[in-house]
Short mmCIF file of all heavy atoms in Angstrom, two decimals:
data_model
loop_
_atom_site.label_atom_id
_atom_site.label_comp_id
_atom_site.label_asym_id
_atom_site.label_seq_id
_atom_site.Cartn_x
_atom_site.Cartn_y
_atom_site.Cartn_z
N GLY A 72 -34.46 -105.21 -49.73
CA GLY A 72 -34.33 -105.95 -50.99
C GLY A 72 -33.43 -105.34 -52.03
O GLY A 72 -33.39 -105.80 -53.17
N ARG A 73 -32.69 -104.31 -51.65
CA ARG A 73 -31.77 -103.66 -52.61
C ARG A 73 -30.41 -103.42 -51.94
O ARG A 73 -30.33 -103.24 -50.73
CB ARG A 73 -32.34 -102.33 -53.09
CG ARG A 73 -33.62 -102.49 -53.89
CD ARG A 73 -34.02 -101.18 -54.55
NE ARG A 73 -35.15 -101.37 -55.44
CZ ARG A 73 -35.06 -101.75 -56.70
NH1 ARG A 73 -33.90 -101.96 -57.25
NH2 ARG A 73 -36.14 -101.89 -57.43
N THR A 74 -29.38 -103.39 -52.79
CA THR A 74 -28.06 -103.08 -52.25
C THR A 74 -28.07 -101.65 -51.70
O THR A 74 -28.74 -100.77 -52.24
CB THR A 74 -26.96 -103.22 -53.32
OG1 THR A 74 -27.27 -102.39 -54.44
CG2 THR A 74 -26.80 -104.66 -53.76
N ALA A 75 -27.32 -101.46 -50.64
CA ALA A 75 -27.27 -100.15 -49.97
C ALA A 75 -26.05 -99.34 -50.38
O ALA A 75 -25.85 -98.23 -49.89
CB ALA A 75 -27.29 -100.35 -48.45
N GLY A 76 -25.20 -99.91 -51.25
CA GLY A 76 -24.00 -99.19 -51.68
C GLY A 76 -22.80 -99.45 -50.78
O GLY A 76 -21.71 -98.94 -51.03
N THR A 77 -23.00 -100.22 -49.73
CA THR A 77 -21.92 -100.59 -48.83
C THR A 77 -21.59 -102.07 -49.05
O THR A 77 -22.22 -102.73 -49.86
CB THR A 77 -22.33 -100.35 -47.36
OG1 THR A 77 -23.51 -101.10 -47.09
CG2 THR A 77 -22.58 -98.87 -47.11
N ALA A 78 -20.61 -102.55 -48.34
CA ALA A 78 -20.19 -103.95 -48.50
C ALA A 78 -21.36 -104.90 -48.22
O ALA A 78 -22.03 -104.77 -47.20
CB ALA A 78 -19.03 -104.26 -47.57
N VAL A 79 -21.58 -105.83 -49.13
CA VAL A 79 -22.60 -106.86 -48.95
C VAL A 79 -21.89 -108.06 -48.30
O VAL A 79 -20.98 -108.64 -48.89
CB VAL A 79 -23.25 -107.27 -50.28
CG1 VAL A 79 -24.21 -108.44 -50.09
CG2 VAL A 79 -23.96 -106.09 -50.92
N THR A 80 -22.30 -108.39 -47.08
CA THR A 80 -21.71 -109.50 -46.36
C THR A 80 -22.72 -110.64 -46.29
O THR A 80 -23.82 -110.46 -45.77
CB THR A 80 -21.28 -109.08 -44.94
OG1 THR A 80 -20.40 -107.96 -45.05
CG2 THR A 80 -20.56 -110.22 -44.23
N LEU A 81 -22.32 -111.79 -46.82
CA LEU A 81 -23.18 -112.97 -46.87
C LEU A 81 -22.53 -114.07 -46.03
O LEU A 81 -21.34 -114.34 -46.19
CB LEU A 81 -23.30 -113.45 -48.33
CG LEU A 81 -23.78 -112.38 -49.31
CD1 LEU A 81 -23.43 -112.77 -50.74
CD2 LEU A 81 -25.27 -112.15 -49.15
N MET A 82 -23.30 -114.66 -45.14
CA MET A 82 -22.74 -115.65 -44.23
C MET A 82 -23.61 -116.90 -44.21
O MET A 82 -24.84 -116.82 -44.28
CB MET A 82 -22.66 -115.09 -42.81
CG MET A 82 -22.03 -116.04 -41.81
SD MET A 82 -22.08 -115.42 -40.13
CE MET A 82 -23.76 -115.82 -39.67
N ILE A 83 -22.95 -118.05 -44.12
CA ILE A 83 -23.61 -119.34 -43.99
C ILE A 83 -23.00 -120.03 -42.79
O ILE A 83 -21.79 -120.27 -42.75
CB ILE A 83 -23.42 -120.21 -45.26
CG1 ILE A 83 -24.03 -119.50 -46.46
CG2 ILE A 83 -24.05 -121.57 -45.08
CD1 ILE A 83 -23.10 -119.35 -47.59
N GLU A 84 -23.82 -120.32 -41.79
CA GLU A 84 -23.32 -121.00 -40.60
C GLU A 84 -23.00 -122.46 -40.92
O GLU A 84 -23.72 -123.09 -41.68
CB GLU A 84 -24.34 -120.95 -39.47
CG GLU A 84 -24.50 -119.58 -38.86
CD GLU A 84 -25.46 -119.61 -37.70
OE1 GLU A 84 -25.06 -120.14 -36.64
OE2 GLU A 84 -26.59 -119.11 -37.86
N ASN A 85 -21.93 -122.95 -40.33
CA ASN A 85 -21.60 -124.38 -40.39
C ASN A 85 -22.31 -125.03 -39.22
O ASN A 85 -21.97 -124.79 -38.06
CB ASN A 85 -20.09 -124.60 -40.27
CG ASN A 85 -19.35 -124.15 -41.49
OD1 ASN A 85 -19.82 -124.30 -42.61
ND2 ASN A 85 -18.16 -123.60 -41.29
N LYS A 86 -23.31 -125.84 -39.49
CA LYS A 86 -24.10 -126.45 -38.43
C LYS A 86 -23.81 -127.93 -38.26
O LYS A 86 -24.04 -128.48 -37.21
CB LYS A 86 -25.59 -126.24 -38.71
CG LYS A 86 -25.98 -124.77 -38.66
CD LYS A 86 -27.46 -124.59 -38.84
CE LYS A 86 -27.77 -123.12 -38.82
NZ LYS A 86 -28.60 -122.74 -37.72
N VAL A 87 -23.37 -128.60 -39.32
CA VAL A 87 -23.12 -130.04 -39.26
C VAL A 87 -21.62 -130.26 -39.31
O VAL A 87 -21.00 -130.22 -40.37
CB VAL A 87 -23.81 -130.77 -40.44
CG1 VAL A 87 -23.54 -132.26 -40.38
CG2 VAL A 87 -25.30 -130.48 -40.46
#
Side-chain angles (χ1 to χ4, degrees):
R73 295 190 173 274
T74 56
T77 57
V79 175
T80 305
L81 306 161
M82 182 185 80
I83 299 127
E84 288 184 73
N85 289 323
K86 295 184 182 244
V87 180

